[in-house]
Amino acid sequence: MPPRTPFSPSIRRTELSNHPKTILNRRCEANKDPLERAFGRDDAAFRKAKSRRLTTFRSSKEWNRLSQRDREKAEQEIVDSLIAVRDAKKREHEMEWRRKVEANEEEEADPEEADLDEEEHKDVDKLEASEDGDGEWVNEDSEESDIDGDNDEEVVQGLARSVSQIKRLWGEGYWKQVADLERMARGKEAEYKEYVDGHQ
């Protein structure tokens, strides 16, 4: 079995449940992108560390000596420090995964982990079919608009002005998003270059 990494699927430790929703969860876990898997583990580690640190702080002697405002401030400092650690781990995992992809070292899923047997597939298909059947389509009749024939031209002109304004605002927002994405991409590229240089 290959060594475990942050990108590996979960390992079976006990006998698996055959409950349909558990099977569906396992299938979703197996189908996750490896980077998404690593980020999920980073978030889980952050939540656990936050719970432990805050519990320890709230049961300490210092807690009773602080005012309500100081308590909130101290808690926020703890959370902010843990967020910084989590974000650093995510960046590290993102760089590591990109290096693996560029070096063609992507991990293959363990066939025993990834493959679900025939019965599991049937149970999941039944569950999905029953969930699909629960909802009904609701067709709502659109209300007919009462537009006076004399005001048709005004309505059309008003609509044209509205559409023109929407297009202008949409264009401004679109190009702002493009500029933001380009700036983020340049930052990530510089970060990755620094990561690769540091790991050679």
Side-chain angles (χ1 to χ4, degrees), residues 88-121:
K89 279 186 182 177
K90 283 188 174 183
R91 279 195 300 275
E92 177 76 14
H93 288 149
E94 187 178 5
M95 299 299 124
E96 186 182 343
W97 180 249
R98 182 172 170 185
R99 185 189 59 75
K100 277 176 172 283
V101 169
E102 290 185 356
N104 290 324
E105 296 176 8
E106 293 183 44
E107 295 179 12
E108 292 295 326
D110 186 352
E112 292 179 7
E113 294 293 327
D115 291 342
L116 297 169
D117 61 34
E118 198 70 33
E119 200 164 319
E120 285 184 344
H121 282 290

Side-chain angles (χ1 to χ4, degrees), residues 16-59:
L16 293 175
S17 164
N18 60 359
H19 188 278
K21 294 226 174 187
T22 308
I23 294 167
L24 193 57
N25 287 342
R26 283 202 304 274
R27 183 188 286 183
C28 290
E29 168 70 17
N31 289 337
K32 274 185 182 174
D33 178 80
L35 191 57
E36 185 183 356
R37 232 179 259 138
F39 284 175
R41 288 185 175 127
D42 294 336
D43 288 331
F46 162 74
R47 287 192 299 271
K48 186 181 287 186
K50 182 174 96 168
S51 173
R52 288 178 176 173
R53 289 274 300 275
L54 290 178
T55 301
T56 302
F57 175 60
R58 288 167 184 164
S59 59

Side-chain angles (χ1 to χ4, degrees), residues 148-187:
D148 190 359
D150 298 337
N151 296 330
D152 282 353
E153 193 173 330
E154 290 177 23
V155 170
V156 170
Q157 287 177 354
L159 185 60
R161 281 194 300 273
S162 298
V163 169
S164 176
Q165 186 177 12
I166 289 169
K167 283 172 71 176
R168 182 178 57 78
L169 293 173
W170 180 86
E172 289 173 3
Y174 172 79
W175 288 114
K176 184 179 181 301
Q177 285 182 336
V178 168
D180 290 344
L181 288 172
E182 285 177 348
R183 190 169 56 254
M184 284 172 56
R186 282 194 297 272

Side-chain angles (χ1 to χ4, degrees), residues 40-78:
R41 288 185 175 127
D42 294 336
D43 288 331
F46 162 74
R47 287 192 299 271
K48 186 181 287 186
K50 182 174 96 168
S51 173
R52 288 178 176 173
R53 289 274 300 275
L54 290 178
T55 301
T56 302
F57 175 60
R58 288 167 184 164
S59 59
S60 68
K61 292 179 181 177
E62 185 186 357
W63 175 262
N64 294 325
R65 289 196 289 261
L66 295 173
S67 67
Q68 182 65 29
R69 180 175 292 177
D70 290 339
R71 287 176 183 174
E72 290 173 3
K73 186 179 176 186
E75 284 181 336
Q76 192 58 50
E77 286 173 1
I78 289 171

